[in-house]
């Protein structure tokens, strides 16, 4: 039988026949029972729901009579059973529309957080379709429950809009969003969605106007400014941006002549999860893969959106080792490590980041790393069901289930169309020539060769071009016949084009081939040794030997490989290249600790491939210079979450340097040792390297040249390894950033010592110091704990203000893991303030970001937040599932022990809420046993507060509350669990006895917690 209460009460048998439950009283009674379908509803609640707060005499008999009449009307399709406390309807929850709605809405929200908007939209539409009108019309006095359901419905609508936006929606959502805002004028989320929908529909000015409407409305109604999130969206739209998605390389020319192959690729991708494009170099595999990926994400020609997935384009050509492929994919996905995340195995992090996502990975130019690419692809396809792989290679990956799509030379007609299209770019108005077909045939229909040939029409006629090609190919056709035809053909095209360059152009092209990721004009001048190279660079661009974009010159990989083979000054050129990038990294390093860090981070991002190449070269030729380069790049890699990528480089460099630091490079040597540490516990030699790093750090007598070394050392050796003695103060030295870092370290040391007041004061001083420098990392790392302290005192508006400022900074740094941290802190503030639904949304978003970053510890913390939210909302079954899931995600390292303690405390509080005090004490005992390995008093204080909630006698509970306050250095007045325990204990004791016991506990501190 099916029951509907989202609208007028509707009862239908399994075959769709409607049933009449009777008049208003039976309808109200059944509605009350259905709200808790399958569970007992107390007599008091039923009586109150039927008769109000002042029931008439004989209400119990009247209720029993109503139940009897309703039983007869429902029989034999459903029953109403008497229970010791009241009555329950025997219908399962899923037979009632309100429970199906909540379940489907939750599944939709989860899918949205996991990055699957298509599945989210389907579930949310299914949920919203269950509403037939206002909820609970047969219960006119159920204001609170009706408000709750209306809020859930609005949240589901907003989630569905979010999914539609992610799927490429825009203009069609505008009328709906304006209607929703008219009914909910204070919803910042709706304002943001309307702004995004207008922007997607090509109406950016209207989108900016909506922000001003939001700002005025919030100021008039609440006296508040827009949130950091809405302000950030406004800034993004002002700058012409939109919601970030993994980008495909932008193509500057039209796609010509591969329609049939494109259709085959799209069909194959719809039926299988691994498609490889094979063919000769220059056949256009990369361009075809890009067009196929774009076609998978853009609306179809009929206006309906395809099933949209994220696309991640990974260029493998610059890589020289298969071990670096996972890092390249992580970087392309935007996945980075945080400061408190150990450098885990890259493949494991990649699997964690992709396990719940729908992603099309485009792995381009796999041929030189085909075996490693095949192994990684097989792992991803086996462990991540939402992943598809589109690879380009000169040979197949050789994996079971792989579908090969050969990319042959172009047939005559498309080849001619391609030639004419590209020729018009250099000779406007070109309409073709009688010899064009012969040119294309001589070039074997290879797109790269055709494009290079068409570019020559700037200086040659089609006849002259055809004559040259004929001579050249006759010569090369008598070459080494043991080589594959594709190699002979491609070399013929490139060599012919090479011969058309003058000697100055050839020499610069040879030298440019040393750059792995392109070069700026400054780099070209410094490395290539050619004064004033602008004219020669422009000539190479015109002749299709170079591409230029935003001031960077790049070679096609095939041309770069050919030019590299022509080099004669290999060692000198590589030395010059490496020397330039050492100087660049050392010049950039100070700017990474101040207000100019964003453009310098972007600059180092752009030079990433060449910085890696320089480090590899110097490791083999000049280890001392390699130490300088690695040290200068260490903070950049940490800020960008690239620590795991440098672990193998650091270990190789350490082997090259030896067991002792070179003269004058002890600090750089210590950093190299730290960069070899992952914290996973799977390397038996790691402890020895940490010990060596400690010895080197102890030997450093003067101020550090690179003050961030102290941050890295605290993360490597643990928080207590950098106790603020005189030597550390000397090592940090003077300067605004250094003083701020010292204050930050002091703040954490005071926190670990349980001196909350001194800790907060130090965080405030550190924040002021980092503000002076403009360093976003430093400010965010102060604002997070300051927000936590304010929230603990119950100063919720101040806490949110601090956290929102921090969120602005970490988003500017493109730091998803740190964003997850701040969102989680914000979620706890909202939860303790009583905003459970908004808190749950924050925890869900935090978990999604942490999962994307492969940071399992942060996923665990967010799931704990969801567990707390469910428990404080009364849903203990759901809370237990969340806590257990969080416990599974915890890693085995020093900074996750405290999180494990808090999860165990949550499980114990859940058992206590269900009345199982014995089980609660068992959980708390397990938590207590773990506190010894956790730095600082926070974990022990949480256990003390938890034990107080189940302690007997009451004096013992008061002692434990006193011990917790002493351990933290402050009372947790903003924590509802602690407030409730204190209220309960005070009710059992006189004020004098309570205060005496509380003070006793303060004096005993940790000893009070461990007593039985």
């Amino acid at each position: 039988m099916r029951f509907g209460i989202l609208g007028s009460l509707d009862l239908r048998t399994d075959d769709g026949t409607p049933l009449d439950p009777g008049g208003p009283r039976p309808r109200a009674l059944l509605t009350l029972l259905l709200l808790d379908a399958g569970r007992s509803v107390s007599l008091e609640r039923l009586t109150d729901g039927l008769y109000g707060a002042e029931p008439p005499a004989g209400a119990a008999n009247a209720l029993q009579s109503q139940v009897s009449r309703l039983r007869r009307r429902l029989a034999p399709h459903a029953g109403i059973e008497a229970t010791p406390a009241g009555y329950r309807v025997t219908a399962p929850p899923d037979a009632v529309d309100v429970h199906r709605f909540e379940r489907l809405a939750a599944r939709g929200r989860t899918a949205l957080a996991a990055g699957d908007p298509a599945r989210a939209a389907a579930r949310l539409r299914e949920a919203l379709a269950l509403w037939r009108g206002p909820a609970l019309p047969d219960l006119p006095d159920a204001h609170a429950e009706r408000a709750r359901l209306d809020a859930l419905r609005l949240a589901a609508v907003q989630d569905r809009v979010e999914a539609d936006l992610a799927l490429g929606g825009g203009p069609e959502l505008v009328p709906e969003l304006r209607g929703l805002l008219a009914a909910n004028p204070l919803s910042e989320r709706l304002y943001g969605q309307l702004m995004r929908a207008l922007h997607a529909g090509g109406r950016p000015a209207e989108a900016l106007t909506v922000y001003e409407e939001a700002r005025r409305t919030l100021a008039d109604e609440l006296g508040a400014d827009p949130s950091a999130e809405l302000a950030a969206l406004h800034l993004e739209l002002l700058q012409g941006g939109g919601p970030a998605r993994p980008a495909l390389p932008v193509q500057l020319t039209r796609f010509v002549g591969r329609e049939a192959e494109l259709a085959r690729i799209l069909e194959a991708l719809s039926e299988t999860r691994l498609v490889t494009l094979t063919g000769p170099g220059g056949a256009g595999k990369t361009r075809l893969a890009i067009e196929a990926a774009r076609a998978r994400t853009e609306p179809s020609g009929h206006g309906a959106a395809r099933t949209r997935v994220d696309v991640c384009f990974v260029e493998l050509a610059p890589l020289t080792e298969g071990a670096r492929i996972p890092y390249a994919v992580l970087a392309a996905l935007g996945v980075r490590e945080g400061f408190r995340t150990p450098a885990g195995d890259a493949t494991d992090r990649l699997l964690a980041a992709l396990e719940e996502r729908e992603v099309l990975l485009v792995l381009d130019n796999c041929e030189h790393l085909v075996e490693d690419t095949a192994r990684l692809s097989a792992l991803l396809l086996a462990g991540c069901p939402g992943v598809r792989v589109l690879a380009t290679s000169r040979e197949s990956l050789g994996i079971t289930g792989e579908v090969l799509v050969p990319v042959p030379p172009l047939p005559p007609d498309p080849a001619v169309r391609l030639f004419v299209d590209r020729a018009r770019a250099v000779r406007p108005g070109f309409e073709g020539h009688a010899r064009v077909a012969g040119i294309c045939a001589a070039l074997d229909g290879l797109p790269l060769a055709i494009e290079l040939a068409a570019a020559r029409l700037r200086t040659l006629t089609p006849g002259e071009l055809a004559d040259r090609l004929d001579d050249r190919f006759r010569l090369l056709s008598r070459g080494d016949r043991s080589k594959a035809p594709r190699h002979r053909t491609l070399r013929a095209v490139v060599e012919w084009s090479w011969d058309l360059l003058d000697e100055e152009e050839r020499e610069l092209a040879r030298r440019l081939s040393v750059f792995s990721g392109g070069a700026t004009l400054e780099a070209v001048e410094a490395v290539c040794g050619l004064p004033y190279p602008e004219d020669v660079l422009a000539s190479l661009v015109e002749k299709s030997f170079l591409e230029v974009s935003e001031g960077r010159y790049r070679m096609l990989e095939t041309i770069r490989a050919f030019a590299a083979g022509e080099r004669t000054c290999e060692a000198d050129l590589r030395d010059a290249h490496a020397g330039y990038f050492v100087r660049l990294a050392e010049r950039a390093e100070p700017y990474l600790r101040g207000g100019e860090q964003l453009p310098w981070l972007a600059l180092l991002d752009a030079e990433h491939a060449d910085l890696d190449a320089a480090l590899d070269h110097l490791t083999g030729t000049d280890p001392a210079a390699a130490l300088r380069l690695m040290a200068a790049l260490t903070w950049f890699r940490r800020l960008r979450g690239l620590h795991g990528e440098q672990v193998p480089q650091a270990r190789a460099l350490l082997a090259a340097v030896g067991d002792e630091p070179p003269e004058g490079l002890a600090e750089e040597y210590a950093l190299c040792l730290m960069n070899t540490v992952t914290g996973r516990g799977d390397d038996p030699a790691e402890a020895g390297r940490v010990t060596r790093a400690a010895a080197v750090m102890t030997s450093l007598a003067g101020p550090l040249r690179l003050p961030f070394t102290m941050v890295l050392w605290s993360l490597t050796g643990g928080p207590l390894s950098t106790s603020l003695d005189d030597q550390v103060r000397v090592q940090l030295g003077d300067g605004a950033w250094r003083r701020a870092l010292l204050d930050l370290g002091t703040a954490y040391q005071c926190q670990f010592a349980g001196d909350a007041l001194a800790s907060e004061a130090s965080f405030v001083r550190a924040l002021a110091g980092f503000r002076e420098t403009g360093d976003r990392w430093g400010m965010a790392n102060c604002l997070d704990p300051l927000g936590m302290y304010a929230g603990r005192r119950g100063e919720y508006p101040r806490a949110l203000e601090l956290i929102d400022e921090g969120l602005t900074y970490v988003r500017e740094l493109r730091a998803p893991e740190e964003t997850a941290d701040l969102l989680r802190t914000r979620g706890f503030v909202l939860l303790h303030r009583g905003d459970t639904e908004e808190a749950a949304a924050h925890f869900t978003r935090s978990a999604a970001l942490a999962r994307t970053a492969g940071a399992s510890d942060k996923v665990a913390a967010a799931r704990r937040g969801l567990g707390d939210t469910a428990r404080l909302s009364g849903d203990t079954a759901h809370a237990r599932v969340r806590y257990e899931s969080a416990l599974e995600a915890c890693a085995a390292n020093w900074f996750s022990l405290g999180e494990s303690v808090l999860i165990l405390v949550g499980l114990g509080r859940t058992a206590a809420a269900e009345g199982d005090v014995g089980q609660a004490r068992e959980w708390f005992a397990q938590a207590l046993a773990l506190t010894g390995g956790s730095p600082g008093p926070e974990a022990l204080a949480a256990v003390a507060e938890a034990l107080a909630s189940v302690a007997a006698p009451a004096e013992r509970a008061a002692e434990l509350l006193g011990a917790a306050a002493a351990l933290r250095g402050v009372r947790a007045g903003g924590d509802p669990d602690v407030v409730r325990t204190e209220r309960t204990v005070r009710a059992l004791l006189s004020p004098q006895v309570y205060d005496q016991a509380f003070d006793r506990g303060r004096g005993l501190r940790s000893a009070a917690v461990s007593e039985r």
Side-chain angles (χ1 to χ4, degrees):
M1 191 168 183
R2 311 296 287 181
F3 301 87
I5 56 178
L6 297 177
S8 298
L9 182 63
D10 183 58
L11 282 65
R12 295 184 182 272
T13 62
D14 291 339
D15 62 2
T17 303
L19 289 180
D20 181 11
R25 286 272 163 78
R27 299 174 74 85
L29 172 61
L30 183 55
T31 301
L32 286 166
L33 292 169
L34 291 172
L35 280 170
D36 284 290
R39 294 186 294 182
S40 177
V41 183
S42 69
L43 297 175
E44 292 78 9
R45 184 179 177 191
L46 293 173
T47 302
D48 185 60
L50 289 179
Y51 302 108
E54 298 181 2
N61 292 333
L63 174 60
Q64 186 176 17
S65 178
Q66 293 286 356
V67 170
S68 296
R69 285 197 291 272
L70 187 57
R71 274 193 185 122
R72 289 194 296 271
R73 286 182 175 270
L74 295 181
H77 306 287
I80 299 176
E81 296 178 346
T83 69
Y87 295 96
R88 73 179 183 92
V89 65
T90 57
D94 206 48
V96 185
D97 59 0
V98 67
H99 302 300
R100 289 205 310 282
F101 163 73
E102 292 191 57
R103 177 176 57 79
L104 289 167
R107 288 174 60 190
R109 189 175 301 114
T110 299
L112 187 63
D116 190 349
R119 186 169 58 190
R123 296 292 80 77
L124 291 162
R125 281 190 166 84
E126 187 179 352
L128 292 166
L130 295 170
W131 285 73
R132 296 168 290 104
L136 314 180
D138 296 287
L139 281 178
D141 296 328
H143 304 298
E145 184 64 22
R146 189 176 298 109
R148 184 186 75 86
L149 291 173
D150 287 344
L152 288 177
R153 183 184 192 182
L154 177 60
V157 171
Q158 291 173 312
D159 287 342
R160 195 223 76 226
V161 170
E162 196 71 34
D164 287 344
L165 287 168
L167 290 167
E172 73 282 0
L173 299 172
V174 170
E176 178 186 12
L177 285 166
R178 289 201 183 278
L180 289 168
L181 268 172
N184 303 276
L186 301 181
S187 172
E188 289 194 75
R189 187 181 186 192
L190 288 173
Y191 281 117
Q193 290 177 330
L194 179 57
M195 291 165 66
R196 290 161 57 197
L198 288 166
H199 188 271
R203 298 152 69 181
E206 290 183 60
L208 298 176
T209 302
V210 170
Y211 178 79
E212 294 304 319
E213 293 174 8
R215 187 182 59 78
R216 286 195 302 271
T217 302
L218 293 171
D220 293 345
E221 297 295 329
L222 303 177
D225 293 326
S227 66
E229 292 90 343
L230 196 63
L233 175 61
H234 177 239
L235 178 61
E236 190 173 28
L237 298 185
L238 277 173
Q239 295 172 340
R245 288 194 179 100
L248 288 165
V250 176
Q251 303 301 299
L252 303 180
T253 56
R254 290 195 311 129
F255 180 62
V256 178
R258 290 292 192 192
E259 293 80 7
E261 290 88 346
L262 180 59
R264 284 200 297 273
I265 296 169
L266 292 174
E267 181 180 3
L269 283 172
S270 68
E271 297 175 351
T272 189
R273 296 174 54 219
L274 173 60
V275 177
T276 302
L277 311 188
T278 60
K285 300 185 295 295
T286 297
R287 180 62 183 272
L288 192 51
I290 291 170
E291 295 300 328
R294 181 171 289 114
R296 289 274 297 177
T297 63
E298 292 182 345
S300 69
H302 301 291
R306 299 178 186 272
T307 299
R308 193 182 189 100
V309 296
D310 287 342
V311 173
C312 176
F313 184 89
V314 188
E315 171 59 76
L316 301 184
L319 304 185
T320 57
E321 299 175 8
R324 295 192 183 180
I325 297 175
Y327 295 110
V329 181
L330 287 167
L333 286 166
V335 174
R336 62 186 297 278
E337 295 165 321
F339 278 81
R340 293 180 295 279
T341 300
D345 178 75
T347 302
D348 290 341
R349 289 180 56 231
L350 187 54
L351 287 165
L354 291 175
E355 65 178 349
E356 296 183 25
R357 291 182 62 180
E358 294 279 343
V359 179
L360 174 62
L361 290 181
V362 182
L363 304 179
D364 191 41
N365 290 316
C366 304
E367 51 269 2
H368 63 306
L369 301 170
V370 66
E371 292 184 5
D372 295 289
T373 305
R375 279 193 291 270
L376 179 64
S377 298
L379 282 173
L380 293 178
L381 292 168
C384 307
V387 169
R388 278 176 162 76
V389 174
L390 176 60
T392 73
S393 178
R394 297 187 191 181
E395 61 180 297
S396 70
L397 300 187
I399 300 174
T400 301
E402 179 184 29
V403 171
L404 299 181
V405 178
V407 182
L410 286 170
D413 288 346
V416 169
R417 283 195 288 123
L418 177 63
F419 185 97
V420 171
D421 181 82
R422 301 304 191 255
R424 286 172 180 166
V426 297
R427 182 175 288 190
F430 181 80
E431 294 299 334
H433 188 276
R435 302 192 67 177
V436 168
I439 292 171
C440 293
L443 296 175
D444 291 334
L446 290 171
L448 174 60
I450 291 169
E451 292 189 354
L452 288 171
R456 301 281 69 77
L457 292 188
R458 183 184 296 275
T459 55
L460 300 173
T461 67
E464 291 170 335
L465 178 62
D467 291 339
R468 285 173 178 261
L469 285 174
D470 185 61
D471 290 339
R472 182 65 60 186
F473 283 130
R474 275 203 303 271
L475 174 63
L476 292 176
S477 67
R478 295 192 294 269
D480 185 352
R481 296 183 183 275
S482 67
K483 298 294 185 182
R486 60 181 180 272
H487 293 155
R488 296 201 303 270
T489 303
L490 185 58
R491 179 165 183 82
V493 173
V494 179
E495 193 167 59
W496 158 79
S497 190
W498 180 265
D499 287 344
L500 292 177
L501 302 178
D502 62 33
E503 186 51 39
E504 188 178 35
E505 291 169 339
R506 286 191 200 120
E507 184 56 32
L508 181 56
R510 292 186 190 102
R511 297 183 177 218
L512 284 172
S513 65
V514 76
F515 292 97
S516 300
T520 62
L521 179 60
E522 175 192 333
V524 172
E525 290 177 315
V527 174
C528 297
L530 179 68
Y532 311 110
E534 296 91 331
D535 290 343
V536 184
L537 287 169
S539 179
L540 289 171
V541 171
E542 289 177 356
K543 295 176 180 179
S544 298
F545 261 81
L546 289 179
E547 297 175 334
V548 61
S549 175
E550 298 182 354
R552 292 187 69 81
Y553 295 89
R554 297 179 184 274
M555 275 185 167
L556 294 173
E557 189 59 30
T558 302
I559 295 177
R560 177 174 171 262
F562 179 91
E566 299 289 315
R567 290 202 302 251
T568 57
C569 52
E570 177 75 18
D572 291 345
L573 189 61
R574 287 203 171 277
D575 288 345
H577 173 272
Y580 170 77
F581 283 102
V582 171
R583 295 191 298 274
L584 176 66
E586 291 182 333
R587 186 169 90 241
E589 186 278 323
Y591 293 102
L592 302 182
R593 295 180 271 115
E596 297 181 64
Q597 62 193 165
L598 294 183
W600 283 92
L601 283 168
L603 181 149
L604 293 178
D605 282 336
E607 305 291 3
H608 191 177
D610 282 283
L611 289 164
D612 273 350
L615 184 58
D616 289 344
H617 174 70
L618 291 172
T619 296
T621 61
D622 188 351
L627 277 177
R628 288 172 48 205
L629 178 56
M630 174 168 282
L633 290 176
T634 294
W635 195 239
F636 158 69
R637 292 179 186 272
R638 286 286 182 168
L639 289 174
R640 280 296 193 237
L642 301 171
H643 172 54
E645 178 178 311
Q646 73 181 344
V647 170
Q649 293 176 314
R651 291 177 178 174
L653 177 55
L654 191 63
V657 173
D659 294 334
E660 296 296 330
E663 182 68 28
L665 295 176
E667 182 179 340
E668 290 79 356
Y669 185 78
L671 276 170
C672 184
L673 284 164
M674 297 175 206
N675 286 335
T676 67
V677 175
T678 68
R680 296 197 306 267
D682 57 357
D683 181 358
E686 194 165 275
R689 292 196 295 272
V690 173
T691 301
R692 287 163 62 190
V696 176
M697 290 297 294
T698 303
S699 72
L700 298 175
L704 299 172
R705 291 187 297 276
L706 303 168
F708 61 78
T709 301
M710 196 59 65
V711 181
L712 272 294
W713 177 230
S714 70
L715 294 171
T716 302
L720 301 181
S721 65
T722 49
S723 57
L724 298 176
D725 55 21
D726 291 340
Q727 182 183 19
V728 169
R729 296 176 189 278
V730 170
Q731 288 175 339
L732 282 175
D734 199 20
W737 197 90
R738 295 167 183 261
R739 290 192 299 271
L741 185 61
L742 179 62
D743 284 327
L744 184 63
T746 301
Y748 278 112
Q749 293 292 343
C750 291
Q751 187 181 84
F752 296 148
D755 191 345
L757 293 178
S759 174
E760 188 169 18
S762 294
F763 278 124
V764 169
R765 289 195 305 274
L767 177 60
F770 285 125
R771 284 196 196 284
E772 181 182 344
T773 69
D775 182 14
R776 293 160 180 81
W777 172 86
M779 289 188 286
N781 274 270
C782 296
L783 289 162
D784 191 354
L786 285 172
M788 179 269 293
Y789 277 128
R792 182 172 289 163
R793 289 192 298 270
E795 298 173 5
Y796 303 126
R798 175 59 176 161
L800 294 176
E801 178 184 348
L802 292 165
I803 295 166
D804 287 345
E805 184 183 352
L807 280 167
T808 300
Y809 298 139
V810 294
R811 284 169 178 155
E812 287 178 336
L813 289 171
R814 301 202 321 258
E817 188 172 340
E818 284 71 22
T819 303
D821 285 339
L822 281 153
L823 284 174
R824 186 182 67 250
T825 303
R826 197 175 197 276
F828 279 114
V829 173
L830 292 169
L831 177 61
H832 293 170
R833 192 176 70 173
D835 297 338
T836 53
E837 185 175 343
E838 191 65 19
H842 276 63
F843 292 135
T844 300
R845 178 62 177 151
S846 175
L849 284 170
R851 184 169 55 248
T852 298
S856 58
D857 290 87
K858 309 306 173 63
V859 174
R863 289 175 180 173
R864 171 173 61 86
L866 289 168
D868 285 354
T869 304
R871 176 174 57 79
L872 292 172
S873 301
D875 189 350
T876 55
H878 191 198
R880 186 180 299 101
V881 171
R882 291 294 192 180
Y883 288 135
E884 290 172 351
S885 175
L887 204 57
E888 290 175 1
C890 267
N893 46 57
W894 65 261
F895 49 81
S896 70
L897 279 174
E899 185 59 46
S900 298
V901 170
L902 297 177
I903 296 167
L904 292 170
V905 165
L907 284 165
R909 289 191 181 277
T910 301
E914 294 175 335
D916 192 343
V917 176
Q919 181 64 56
R921 289 195 176 105
E922 289 183 16
W923 284 118
F924 296 153
Q926 290 185 45
L928 180 60
L930 286 181
T931 56
S934 178
E938 176 65 32
L940 186 57
V943 174
E945 290 159 348
L947 287 169
S949 69
V950 296
E955 288 92 336
R956 170 65 175 153
E959 284 182 357
L960 288 164
L961 289 172
L967 286 164
R968 283 205 182 95
V970 66
R971 296 191 185 194
D975 187 329
D977 285 318
V978 179
V979 170
R980 182 171 56 253
T981 301
E982 182 176 350
R983 186 184 303 119
T984 300
V985 176
R986 283 185 178 277
L988 297 172
L989 300 172
S990 69
Q992 181 180 6
V993 172
Y994 178 89
D995 291 342
Q996 289 173 346
F998 188 89
D999 290 341
R1000 224 171 22 251
R1002 288 182 67 90
L1004 293 172
R1005 290 167 61 92
S1006 58
V1009 185
S1010 61
E1011 290 175 2
R1012 292 296 178 192

